[in-house]
Amino acid sequence: MSTAQNETDIGPDEPDTDTRGAQYLNTDNDRSISGSRGVEPPTSIVEILEDVRQEEQGEEDRTFRTKFSGAYGNILNQEEEESSKVINGDVLASPGKERPSSADGSLSIPDDTPSIQNSILSSSAKYPHLSGRGHSPSPSLRPFDRRFQARLSQSPLNSPRPTSPAFLTAHSRHPSALSQLVHDSGDVDTPDAPWEVVRWTKLRNMSGQAFSEIGKRKFGRPTCIAVSASIALGTSKGMILIFDYHQTLQTIIGPGTQAVESGAVTSITFSADHFAVAGGHANGAIFTWDTTRPAKPLLQIPSTDQSRVHASDHDGHVSGAAVLHIGFLGTRHTAIVSADDKGMAFSHFASRGMGAFARSTRTTRILGRYPEPSLAVTRPKKPSSVLAFAPLPLGNAMLAADDMGLVAMLTPYLLVIVSTIPLAQTQHKASRPKEVAAHSTMSAALAWFPAMKISPDDTAVHAPSSLAKLVYSWSNILTVLDVHEADVSEESTKDKSPELQFKPRKRWKADEAIVAIQWLSRSVLSVITVSQQLIILEDSMLQVTDSSDMIKKHIYHVDLFSQQLSQLVEKLDEEDTSMHGVVADAFYMSFKAYKGRLFLLGFSDVSMGTMSNWADRLLSLMEEGNFIGAIELATSYYNGEGDKATVGLPEDDASRHSVVQEKLTEMMSASLKYAFGRNQKAGTSKLGDRQLEELATACFNACLSIEDVDFLFDGVYTWYSEDQVEGLFLHILEGYITNGSIKILPPSVLKDLVGHFVEGGRDSELEETLCLLNPETMDIDQITSLCKTHRLYDALFYVWNQALGDYTTILKDLLYLKEDKNHDTGSDRNSLRTVSANSTSKVFPYLSYILTGRIYPTGEAMEEAKATMAKAEIYDFLFSSGKRDTVVNESSPSKTKLSLPHLRHILKLDSSSFLSMLNEAFEDSFLNGSNEILNGEQRIAGLSEEQRFGLSVNRQFIISILLEVILPPDFDEEDIIYLDMFVARNIAKFSQFVLLPGSTLQRVMVELCTYSSEETAEDCQLSVEYLLSVFQPPDLPSMIPILSDARFYRIIKLIYSSERKYALLLTTCFEDRENPQALFDCIADFLKPNSELSPKQIEEIHNVVIEHASELIEAGLTHAASTIDAFAPELHTFLLGTLSNDDNAQFQYLREVLEPSEPTKYANTTRRTSLNQNFVEQYVRLLCDYDPHHVNDYIANLQTGDLRLESVLPALESSGIIDAAVVVMAREGKVRQAIDRLTQYLRTLGGALIGLLDGVHETPDAANAQETSDDLVKSLEKYIRIGAWVCQSQTKSVANTKGKATAKSRRSLATNTLSMDEELWLDLVDSVVQVTRDVGDALESRLDTESATAYHPINSSKVLSSLRTMVQETFTALLTATTVPQSNDVRQKDHSFLRIFRAFLDRVSLSSPSISNLRAVLSAIFSAYSYEESLLDLANRLLDKDLFVHVAEVSSMRRRGWRPLGQLCEGCGKRVWGSGVGGGIWSAWVEASQNGGAGGSQIAATRPSAGPNSNGKGKAVASKEVDMAEMEKTAESELEERKRGNLGPLIVFACRHVFHRTCLQSMEPRGDEPDREGKEDLEFSCPLCI
């Protein structure tokens, strides 16, 4: 049972352990009821910690903070106020902080050597080394498109130093368990934590009384425990022992009553007010007692005899069923719920009365069934038991469910939640989770936590009270269930019980079965597993926070369920997933929780445990010597990391911070004293560097978390500095500055940090670090001198800008840095120029950042007011023409004074970079001329003259100044071109702010067209395009020659397009060689079908294409072909004429037109090309030269008439492409000539093969003779097939035109005269046979002359076999062509083959009079016949076999019969088969089986007989009737059988209707009834389907 009360309350005489967090330094704290732990702290860090604590006592307002002198102290106190100020005109006008008179006034002469850190340039541009005047960088950089980037804003700092130790795992001199606990690394074995998860205290006095031999003899062995305001133990002799928290035995309940006769106490519980206790006994009886009057029971509920359990008026536990679970409902002492080991649960409500005998008890069964009487049961029931059971306890928050008497029960199959008031009603059911593994350990546990009021300080829950919740588990699956009350109206609640909703919130899977669960608090769960592991869970996420092995506690456990549930285990079935491997012992009676404490009943003692709180854990680490781990753990507690509820910390940040911060500071002080060997008592020595670094990291994290950087620098750093190891501290400090955690440093620390960087030669990293700090606390003179010495101008800009608000002093010094006169030697001067060039390159990114409102070099946005004044100061510095800005022109003989000297100087350094920077600044709204700061006379009056001038600068003024300054001879042509580009682009972008005369714009345009460097051509053209978008020259046509000379073709095309001069536009496209694709796009746009061009304009376009045909082809041969073919096919002749001297180009062109390899971008355009015959013939002739293997494929795809034979035949024959020539002649109708040419070529090939065979041993290339012979044989095969195709085509053509035999044809048949197509076949066959015979003779003669052992380079048998195969294929083709198919079962007679064959024999006899020569030929011919016959015979046999198999299968399936549609005869309506038909059918079946019937079937399946294609709805033949004797009965016998109910055999039709035979006969018309007597094969028709 889980009895939960107010969490903030504690038990009587029990100290509040949770309040020990503020007193954890007292080592003599009470740690248990019986006494302290008895562990003396060592003389070490703990003693130092105690000293620190004692030193701080009595100093109420003591702090480690000390005020720094100068700006640092002021900034700490005023930083927040200054950040919230609204900057007005007065603030802007104030002079700001005191600054040196100049940057040079406080620094030494700079070194003339280059910087040793090799820092990267602030900008990504590659600036040249300036030696005199500056020139623009490469135009490929697109100066007006780039954006300047400073080093720090471009990418994160890539420092070579390792990662800051602040992010490393903590270490110490001793192994730190904290590092493993806080930074969990997975499954790595880690040492145990130095603290106990639960501090257990053995209750010795209680255990001595209950477990001593005297106690066991007197009271019996303890069997269960209950905890409330007192501790109760149930015993095996039926008694209950009540102890107080001083372990004093206050009450012994049971002696002298019937309770000791009822068996052992198997369950025990306290009432909500702690004054009543109830116990369940082994024989099923229940007793409740008033602890103040234990002489007799308050209520006695005896068990029920098994003979009375089925009486309708009596419920209760069966005698002998042990009451395993019991609990009170609400606040009543007379309302009890209980459950036994037989799976039954009851509610017991007793009436009010005087004593036990005057009370009446009403018992109601709420779960389970009584055992069945010892009679035969039809179906066995599953065994069950109540594995876990608990009523909902009362909380300190009102809940409607409190009045419903909710009880939760777990069986092996279900979770059931029942309300017992006013009537028993099931509120919720849930089956066992599917996640429970099959054959796992069977166990169950549950525990309620009631609704509790929420403290106002608890910000984690936004509700006045928490929900009631239930945690339950099956096996290793734990689930948390929240109880919600549905919103209902007040009127409805009066009539019925409130509606509850049970919502599963979270589920957790343990590694092993769970046997007990208790709530330690609203947020913490304690779980006992089957292996006696204690697991602490945090409720919200169900995460394991701690675990501990409890095996040594020897928890009392009993096997209560295995006998009852043996059927679920002993009859183990691998296929039944509901089975379990074993039933776990019960632990629930031994594991209880009350007010955050755990109580264990063991086999020999009773123990109480308290969770180790945060203070205990810190002290344990300190005692172990792991002070670094203790500081890190305290820091994590301060930050709210981990499980605050588990360690007893408040959820509220403010409360938690106030508790932890003081102790964290104390631990750091003590740790520093210990680490640096200042503990004289312990005699400790200083730690090593590694441990000191780790300590510094821990102190950094702690001080930053508690926001106490004063202690970090004044306390921690002092220890390191005094011990001369400040380098370790500063090394750690770098990482925190880099990640932005620390931005303010005291001057002394900053000075040491600078020295640390300088000593290590890390000037670049120093510059980065300085730019990440708040410069307002820095010593400006010190930093200025340092930065100038090491040329750290990024940091110098940053410090002067942010600390002093000065944006021009450093800029001026940097601009004129190279004019230092202290170095006169040539080498020094060159070195200084190099350094000056690198340093000056930072000017332009700096100006870009400031003029766009960004902090240099970090890139962060400035405050609007500061940004405005910064821009005004820069613009005043650059463009002011006051007296302070004039200098003497030393180069002028008259010593004239120059205005705007800074602007002139920076333009001479690098005009392109300056204009690129200014191009970026022009995008800022500051130059719009509408600054809000100028509004108001008072604000204007508060500004200086320089500020007012800077605020009045706008784009118009800047461009006007630049046009006046950048003039020859002071600036060369390239600088003027860059100015023109700048003006042209910005007047287009800001035309509403800039207005220039047309003459000026005309001059700018002309100057852009007369650029001197090809590298700037593209930028100039782009600038002219910008300019023309807002400016229209007065005489634009006169500009065309200038634009053409400049090769600004995009602009010229735009002009011609706007004026609709398309021919000139196309001409310009031809001139623009850099963009050939635009040429084809232009032609496609002009000549597309939906173009708006007039016929005259189209003609002009054609003329331009013809005029530039060669240039069009140079732009892209295939593109030109596809484009012209798509839009102007009539121009093919002109383009091909251009290619008259290049056959290969003509071939590529025609291939793209006639056979495009892939779809072009104009593929969707309708092809207007009519295949010009000349083009096709020319293409075929070119194919013969460049792709002869493709000729035949191409010609095959042509139509008749596409080629002229006389035009292509010479080329085909000269190229040796005979197959294509034959095809062409056949298509032209010259079949005779084609066959003659083919047979001639066959003889040529045969002669070549014979020649190869004869001279194979004489040729020097005898090794390749076989390959050559194979090629010749393949050629023969190819051309023989072509000849067969020609002959077949001719035969088919003659057959289609042949009608009835005329007199002339009949005469030709009579005289055996061959027709033309037959002569073609004869010539082909004769040629093939002749070649085969000649080659065969040559092979025979060669074999006769060669010795048997001679080397034969040619496989003679292979060649001869291939040739004979050709003969067979030729005669096969002849047979196929001359065979006439049968018609209407009459075979047509055609003697064409016989005539051809006889003519062939005649020819052979003339050429080969000897029989031996003819034998081989005839053998080949008859082989062809034999081959065809064998194929036909095989095909016929396969077809006959498949047909037989399918026909047999169909016949077999038809004979199987049909299943009747119903179980009733369609005639008489009586049941004929199926259940309920009676025993007669079964008897008849047995009798028929004994008589040798075919299965004894009473149903005769009839097949349709209405024809071969019957669908079963016509007449049918009774093909099978089992009861054959019944059919031979006479009509009288049949009538007599019908009277007796035997209606004879059944008839089933294909339509699945079933009839008695006699019913079917009676339904047929008398006139149509046939004489059925004595007939076996009777035909019937279904009367319903006729």
Side-chain angles (χ1 to χ4, degrees), residues 877-890:
F877 174 79
L878 293 174
F879 297 102
S880 175
S881 58
K883 294 182 179 180
R884 61 184 178 86
D885 294 317
T886 59
V887 296
V888 177
N889 186 3
E890 299 292 343

Side-chain angles (χ1 to χ4, degrees), residues 792-814:
L792 307 179
Y793 286 100
D794 283 347
L796 197 58
F797 276 128
Y798 179 78
V799 171
W800 278 67
N801 292 349
Q802 300 303 309
L804 302 176
D806 188 336
Y807 296 90
T808 57
T809 300
I810 303 301
L811 175 62
K812 184 177 180 181
D813 293 341
L814 186 59

Side-chain angles (χ1 to χ4, degrees), residues 872 926 929 931 934 947-954 957:
F926 175 88
N931 285 298
L934 295 178
Q947 290 173 333
R948 287 197 298 270
F949 175 81
L951 291 171
S952 64
V953 172
N954 55 30
F957 177 77

Side-chain angles (χ1 to χ4, degrees), residues 1345-1357:
T1345 58
E1346 293 177 353
S1347 63
T1349 58
Y1351 170 69
H1352 305 292
I1354 298 178
N1355 190 345
S1356 303
S1357 60

Side-chain angles (χ1 to χ4, degrees), residues 1245-1266:
L1245 292 174
L1249 182 58
I1250 294 172
L1252 177 65
L1253 295 174
D1254 293 339
V1256 64
H1257 292 288
E1258 299 176 0
T1259 178
D1261 193 15
N1264 296 326
Q1266 181 64 47

